[in-house]
Amino acid sequence: MVNRSIGRETILEIPFPANFRLKSLSSDLYDICFMTVYINFSTPVEGDFEIDTSKVFNQPFTRYPKEVVEKIKKTLPRFKEKFSTMVVCGMGGSSLGAKTIDSFARAFNEANHGLVFLDNVDPTLVKQTLESLDWKNTVFCFVSKSGTTLETVVFLNLVLEELRRRNLPVEEHVIFVGDRGKSFEEMANSLGCEFFEIPSDVDGRFSVLTSTGLVPSFFADFDIDELWEGAREVLRDQSEDNPAIKLAKYKMDNYLNKGRNVSVMFTYGNYLFPFSFWYSQLWAESLGKEGKGQTPLKALGTVDQHSLVQLFREGPDDKVYQFVKAREIKWDTQLPEHTQILDYIANKKVSEIFRALYEGTKEALIQTGRPVISIELDRYSAFNLGYLFMLYMLATVAAAQILGINPFGQPGVELGKRIAKERLQKGL
Amino acid sequence: MVNRSIGRETILEIPFPANFRLKSLSSDLYDICFMTVYINFSTPVEGDFEIDTSKVFNQPFTRYPKEVVEKIKKTLPRFKEKFSTMVVCGMGGSSLGAKTIDSFARAFNEANHGLVFLDNVDPTLVKQTLESLDWKNTVFCFVSKSGTTLETVVFLNLVLEELRRRNLPVEEHVIFVGDRGKSFEEMANSLGCEFFEIPSDVDGRFSVLTSTGLVPSFFADFDIDELWEGAREVLRDQSEDNPAIKLAKYKMDNYLNKGRNVSVMFTYGNYLFPFSFWYSQLWAESLGKEGKGQTPLKALGTVDQHSLVQLFREGPDDKVYQFVKAREIKWDTQLPEHTQILDYIANKKVSEIFRALYEGTKEALIQTGRPVISIELDRYSAFNLGYLFMLYMLATVAAAQILGINPFGQPGVELGKRIAKERLQKGL
């Protein structure tokens, strides 16, 4: 931990000996540790909450799913050889993680294998998606822990019907991901399809590092070993100094002691934006219980500088801000030597403009006295995304401990589901 | 106004004699008025705020921009003949409205003309977008009231450079939209390009029904006359019974008297989702001032039933909910006669599943005692979108009156812009 001061910001910086890739570094290079994830808090971390760290780190989602990884490496190359596209069919925790991975990958990978997501029963979307597919070159991955998620079962029935209509073999075009002993395993067995397990003690929204996220990732040429290395990096120091614990304390201090009931996730860049959807689900669904819960708000930089920043700076002081940005960008463009209208952008790179706008907005919020957490990745990489996933899952469990609630399960959505089911059964 | 009761809901329903299209109805059909927009409140509209209605309805954005519409109809067909794609380059109020229109159109139009949006200086996005274009078949529409929006000027310089590199005539491939007398009009004149005016007294985020929204709309085969008919429908009754006034009172009552500082826009359907981005900017940037302001939260049904609804039902009672959905969907799919896993969905249409999930979620929130506004459109149409735009712009002005603030301008974003500019000038 290093305390340092940059300009007006008093920064608590937590450096990590990251890019720590055993497979790529020889032993005498261990000392060369590239910093890859930087976390700063614009105000001191107060929150003197007591945390039982052993309970935070001893969670099912922190276990490396060795068998699944081995099965993926053995089984999926056959699908990659045959198919160029995988359609991931799943709702919420069954797709948001893979969507984040897919988007991240597009910022640095030149992958040949594409993911498409079917994650809403919007009738127009369903029709347009299914009609636009090149079915012969497509494999469908159905993800549902329970195997009875209404929307996902709708997709399944539509896809099975269409495969039959086209005389395409179901066992080649369909993969199932779900809990053992539930309907998806049964379907896989009866249809002769591949089945990948989600450990039953890992909740859907904490399952991105299990089959849920890893099967689509591997298909999309995203390095799942590196993803797990990043995740493991967060587990290295299991004390209260762990950044996940600090993050939880900081946010809960702002919520419980300062009434900041909105938690902004301000991702800079379109390729990072899906992370804010994954985060929103995790934070809202895990902590929104017993009248408690901080509302997650997604913001996209620089777009939302033109939409939400006015409220952030001059509206009520009821928010805590998390900025996430990658420092280095693989693909960039340079502006011409002579520019029209604004001469000070001549010869600049687009990434410099982007960074200046990011710094300007962050600095303006800090000057206004808003609590700002900034998380900077050295670049888009599987390692850094694995780090982010684990950081936020642990922070969520720690925050739940501070709130005294159970972060798992989602009892509040059952009534809506029951009403929907009744309406369908009664033909309303 | 009709007060009626449906099940548990006490509903204040405001029916409108809409689909009132002079051009398509003969005079003896005037009596046949299709209801097209239904607005319900789940709890009584309390809020006894006094509103000076004349000030609400007498706003520059309520003026029909006759000259612009005529110029569009005269000028744009030539571009439509030549080009299949228009890239709309603009930030915030300069693109969110057109994005909403574009998305809406995709739900019912089989248009030949496509819109692409360049609305972020994410370097990867910029590079990938510019490289993916078929430049010969593309026209660029630059939108900025001031003509100096940093991001838009970046796009402009990149596009001009690339057009020159490709020996493509700038005057044919570029259109400008902005205030008179500002840099975009000057650029248009010096380059020989078409220029469309945004009235200088209409703020960017209130400008969707001027050139800002109408130029891209017309290009994308969206009926701009019908859009304005829908907008005019809201202006018909300028009393306190106007639904925009009721909407503002209801939301401000929940905010000021009941501490509900989050205003959820729960759009059902991917094609409606961009409306929540347009709404978020309007609500946040107009009302987020002097320590006041209600935070807009975007939610997408049914996706966010799996992400935010747990918080909505069992989290703090600090939100007011607006549901928006279209009743009839043009493109639908039927499930097979026999279904796997869930037999009660056999033979159902996807739209029925979608509706049941929508009703279930809404009903569950109402049963929990949450304040729910539901806005149902009979279908996706230009008329209904025009109605929505005008409804929310008026409601925003009325809410600002209740809060005692000026809904126009965005002083809170200036500091961030200045810091960004300084960094770029100093090469930081």
Side-chain angles (χ1 to χ4, degrees):
Chain A
M1 190 94 43
V2 184
N3 277 294
R4 63 189 179 87
S5 195
I6 297 183
R8 235 171 311 267
E9 296 181 61
T10 302
I11 283 175
L12 183 69
E13 184 162 85
I14 306 167
F16 297 104
N19 248 15
F20 183 72
R21 301 185 51 184
L22 287 175
K23 65 181 179 192
S24 63
L25 295 178
S26 66
S27 63
D28 61 346
L29 282 173
Y30 279 169
D31 285 342
I32 306 174
C33 292
F34 300 97
M35 313 259 283
T36 66
V37 182
Y38 306 76
I39 307 182
N40 300 322
F41 299 90
S42 72
T43 49
V45 185
E46 296 170 359
D48 51 353
F49 310 106
E50 267 187 37
I51 297 260
D52 181 345
T53 51
S54 68
K55 281 190 184 153
V56 173
F57 295 102
N58 188 22
Q59 290 292 336
F61 63 79
T62 63
R63 280 196 316 262
Y64 176 64
K66 190 165 173 288
E67 282 175 28
V68 159
V69 171
E70 280 167 9
K71 184 172 178 186
I72 286 172
K73 289 183 180 174
K74 209 181 74 187
T75 319
L76 275 188
R78 152 166 79 87
F79 291 93
K80 290 177 73 162
E81 221 165 274
K82 254 194 208 148
F83 305 114
S84 56
T85 301
M86 173 181 277
V87 181
V88 180
C89 305
M91 303 300 296
S94 296
S95 62
L96 291 170
K99 260 185 140 161
T100 305
I101 289 166
D102 175 57
S103 177
F104 227 74
R106 285 168 198 258
F108 69 91
N109 250 2
E110 265 135 324
N112 295 315
H113 292 82
L115 299 180
V116 168
F117 292 86
L118 202 50
D119 63 350
N120 200 357
V121 284
D122 177 323
T124 316
L125 180 79
V126 169
K127 191 165 184 77
Q128 292 187 353
T129 304
L130 295 182
E131 281 182 0
S132 69
L133 293 173
D134 173 6
W135 284 69
K136 274 197 180 163
N137 289 315
T138 298
V139 57
F140 294 85
C141 178
F142 292 95
V143 188
S144 168
K145 266 185 75 68
S146 67
T148 56
T149 308
L150 176 52
E151 292 96 325
T152 314
V153 173
V154 166
F155 306 143
L156 175 65
N157 280 289
L158 292 173
V159 167
L160 290 181
E161 181 80 357
E162 189 64 21
L163 286 171
R164 281 185 199 115
R165 206 180 64 78
R166 292 172 182 259
N167 286 319
L168 293 169
V170 171
E171 69 278 12
E172 286 180 23
H173 285 268
V174 171
I175 289 173
F176 287 92
V177 174
D179 276 0
R180 279 222 172 280
K182 299 286 178 69
S183 61
F184 270 18
E185 187 176 22
E186 288 165 21
M187 285 288 292
N189 288 341
S190 72
L191 294 168
C193 299
E194 285 293 344
F195 171 77
F196 294 89
E197 179 188 5
I198 306 169
S200 61
D201 56 358
V202 175
D203 247 40
R205 60 185 172 276
F206 290 89
S207 72
V208 62
L209 297 172
T210 73
S211 308
T212 311
L214 299 181
V215 170
S217 299
F218 188 87
F219 188 85
D221 300 316
F222 197 81
D223 191 328
I224 62 178
D225 293 319
E226 196 187 319
L227 186 74
W228 256 100
E229 279 170 37
R232 261 195 229 102
E233 184 63 36
V234 194
L235 297 166
R236 198 176 289 265
D237 172 2
Q238 305 205 347
S239 76
E240 296 218 8
D241 283 338
N242 187 291
I245 305 285
K246 295 206 170 293
L247 189 61
K249 285 186 178 176
Y250 189 76
K251 290 182 73 180
M252 288 302 100
D253 178 46
N254 274 293
Y255 173 50
L256 295 170
N257 301 328
K258 288 151 194 163
R260 290 177 175 133
N261 65 339
V262 176
S263 166
V264 177
M265 176 57 75
F266 209 150
T267 49
Y268 265 71
N270 294 53
Y271 302 81
L272 256 165
F273 195 40
F275 176 73
S276 70
F277 288 74
W278 176 84
Y279 157 78
S280 288
Q281 188 210 16
L282 184 72
W283 203 250
E285 207 163 46
S286 304
L287 306 180
K289 283 159 192 166
E290 301 176 22
K292 300 167 191 166
Q294 200 181 28
T295 300
L297 184 71
K298 303 175 269 275
L300 166 62
T302 70
V303 177
D304 283 320
Q305 294 181 194
H306 301 262
S307 124
L308 300 172
V309 168
Q310 168 66 34
L311 174 75
F312 292 170
R313 279 204 62 230
E314 299 196 343
D317 186 10
D318 60 358
K319 299 176 182 68
V320 52
Y321 300 88
Q322 301 155 98
F323 281 76
V324 185
K325 185 181 181 297
R327 288 185 179 177
E328 275 185 47
I329 309 282
K330 185 171 177 182
W331 292 299
D332 208 348
T333 312
Q334 187 139 14
L335 280 148
E337 224 171 302
H338 301 286
T339 51
Q340 308 277 355
I341 300 177
L342 303 176
D343 55 5
Y344 63 86
I345 59 173
N347 250 329
K348 290 277 193 302
K349 289 180 186 160
V350 175
S351 61
E352 291 173 85
I353 314 276
F354 192 53
R355 183 164 61 85
L357 284 164
Y358 158 76
E359 297 284 357
T361 300
K362 197 170 56 131
E363 179 64 22
L365 282 172
I366 290 169
Q367 284 190 27
T368 315
R370 303 298 192 228
V372 172
I373 302 160
S374 82
I375 300 180
E376 296 189 15
L377 318 176
D378 68 336
R379 61 198 167 89
Y380 286 90
S381 71
F383 183 97
N384 288 340
L385 183 55
Y387 190 96
L388 275 186
F389 280 144
M390 188 56 83
L391 175 74
Y392 270 95
M393 291 195 288
L394 291 169
T396 303
V397 172
Q401 204 183 95
I402 292 169
L403 293 175
I405 55 167
N406 173 15
F408 309 113
Q410 51 276 344
V413 302
E414 294 310 318
L415 175 60
K417 283 188 191 178
R418 209 182 64 222
I419 296 171
K421 184 176 170 180
E422 281 167 12
R423 291 185 70 93
L424 287 166
Q425 282 172 327
K426 289 178 190 160
L428 291 176
Chain B
M1 188 93 45
V2 185
N3 277 292
R4 61 188 183 90
S5 195
I6 297 184
R8 234 172 311 268
E9 295 180 62
T10 303
I11 284 177
L12 183 67
E13 184 162 86
I14 306 167
F16 298 102
N19 247 15
F20 183 72
R21 302 185 51 185
L22 289 174
K23 66 180 180 193
S24 63
L25 295 177
S26 66
S27 63
D28 60 347
L29 281 174
Y30 279 168
D31 286 343
I32 305 174
C33 293
F34 300 97
M35 313 260 283
T36 67
V37 181
Y38 306 76
I39 307 182
N40 299 322
F41 300 91
S42 71
T43 49
V45 185
E46 294 170 1
D48 51 353
F49 310 105
E50 267 187 38
I51 297 260
D52 181 346
T53 51
S54 69
K55 282 194 182 149
V56 173
F57 295 102
N58 188 21
Q59 290 292 336
F61 62 79
T62 62
R63 281 197 315 263
Y64 175 64
K66 190 166 171 286
E67 283 175 29
V68 158
V69 170
E70 280 166 10
K71 186 172 178 185
I72 287 172
K73 288 182 180 174
K74 208 182 74 185
T75 319
L76 274 188
R78 152 165 78 89
F79 291 93
K80 289 178 74 161
E81 221 166 272
K82 253 193 209 151
F83 306 114
S84 57
T85 301
M86 173 181 278
V87 181
V88 179
C89 306
M91 304 300 296
S94 296
S95 63
L96 291 169
K99 260 186 140 161
T100 306
I101 289 167
D102 175 58
S103 177
F104 227 74
R106 285 167 198 259
F108 68 91
N109 250 1
E110 265 136 324
N112 295 316
H113 292 83
L115 299 181
V116 169
F117 292 86
L118 203 50
D119 63 349
N120 199 358
V121 284
D122 177 323
T124 316
L125 180 79
V126 170
K127 193 168 183 75
Q128 292 187 354
T129 304
L130 295 183
E131 281 183 0
S132 69
L133 294 172
D134 174 5
W135 285 69
K136 276 197 179 163
N137 290 315
T138 299
V139 57
F140 294 84
C141 179
F142 292 95
V143 188
S144 167
K145 265 184 75 67
S146 67
T148 57
T149 308
L150 176 53
E151 292 95 327
T152 315
V153 173
V154 166
F155 306 143
L156 175 66
N157 279 290
L158 292 173
V159 166
L160 291 181
E161 180 80 358
E162 189 64 21
L163 286 172
R164 282 186 199 114
R165 207 180 66 77
R166 291 171 183 260
N167 286 319
L168 293 169
V170 171
E171 70 279 10
E172 286 181 22
H173 285 267
V174 170
I175 289 173
F176 288 92
V177 175
D179 276 0
R180 279 223 173 279
K182 298 287 178 69
S183 61
F184 270 18
E185 187 177 22
E186 289 165 20
M187 286 288 292
N189 288 341
S190 74
L191 296 168
C193 299
E194 285 293 345
F195 171 77
F196 294 89
E197 179 189 4
I198 306 170
S200 62
D201 56 356
V202 175
D203 248 41
R205 59 184 172 276
F206 290 89
S207 72
V208 63
L209 297 173
T210 73
S211 307
T212 312
L214 299 182
V215 170
S217 299
F218 188 87
F219 187 86
D221 301 316
F222 197 81
D223 190 328
I224 62 178
D225 293 319
E226 195 186 319
L227 187 73
W228 257 101
E229 279 170 34
R232 263 196 226 100
E233 183 64 36
V234 194
L235 297 166
R236 198 176 290 264
D237 171 3
Q238 305 206 348
S239 76
E240 296 218 11
D241 283 339
N242 187 291
I245 305 283
K246 296 206 168 290
L247 189 59
K249 284 186 179 176
Y250 189 75
K251 290 181 73 181
M252 288 303 99
D253 178 47
N254 274 293
Y255 172 50
L256 295 171
N257 301 328
K258 288 151 194 166
R260 291 175 175 136
N261 65 339
V262 176
S263 165
V264 177
M265 176 57 74
F266 209 148
T267 49
Y268 264 71
N270 294 54
Y271 301 81
L272 256 165
F273 195 39
F275 177 73
S276 70
F277 288 73
W278 176 84
Y279 157 78
S280 288
Q281 189 211 14
L282 183 73
W283 202 250
E285 208 163 47
S286 304
L287 306 179
K289 283 159 193 167
E290 302 176 21
K292 301 167 190 167
Q294 201 181 29
T295 300
L297 184 71
K298 303 177 269 274
L300 166 63
T302 71
V303 176
D304 283 319
Q305 294 182 195
H306 301 262
S307 127
L308 299 172
V309 168
Q310 168 66 32
L311 174 74
F312 293 170
R313 281 204 62 229
E314 299 196 343
D317 186 9
D318 60 358
K319 299 176 183 69
V320 52
Y321 301 87
Q322 299 154 101
F323 281 76
V324 185
K325 186 180 181 297
R327 289 185 178 176
E328 274 185 47
I329 309 281
K330 184 171 177 182
W331 293 298
D332 208 348
T333 311
Q334 186 138 16
L335 279 147
E337 223 171 303
H338 301 287
T339 51
Q340 307 279 353
I341 301 176
L342 304 176
D343 55 6
Y344 63 88
I345 60 174
N347 251 328
K348 290 277 192 302
K349 289 180 186 161
V350 175
S351 62
E352 291 174 85
I353 314 276
F354 193 52
R355 183 164 61 86
L357 285 164
Y358 158 77
E359 297 284 358
T361 301
K362 198 170 54 130
E363 179 65 21
L365 282 173
I366 290 169
Q367 284 191 25
T368 314
R370 302 297 192 231
V372 172
I373 302 159
S374 82
I375 300 179
E376 296 190 16
L377 318 175
D378 69 335
R379 62 197 166 91
Y380 286 91
S381 71
F383 183 96
N384 288 340
L385 184 54
Y387 190 96
L388 275 186
F389 280 144
M390 188 57 82
L391 175 74
Y392 270 96
M393 291 195 288
L394 292 169
T396 303
V397 172
Q401 204 184 95
I402 292 169
L403 293 174
I405 56 167
N406 172 16
F408 308 113
Q410 50 275 346
V413 302
E414 295 310 319
L415 176 61
K417 283 188 190 177
R418 209 180 64 222
I419 297 171
K421 184 176 172 181
E422 282 168 11
R423 292 185 69 95
L424 287 166
Q425 282 172 327
K426 290 180 188 156
L428 291 176

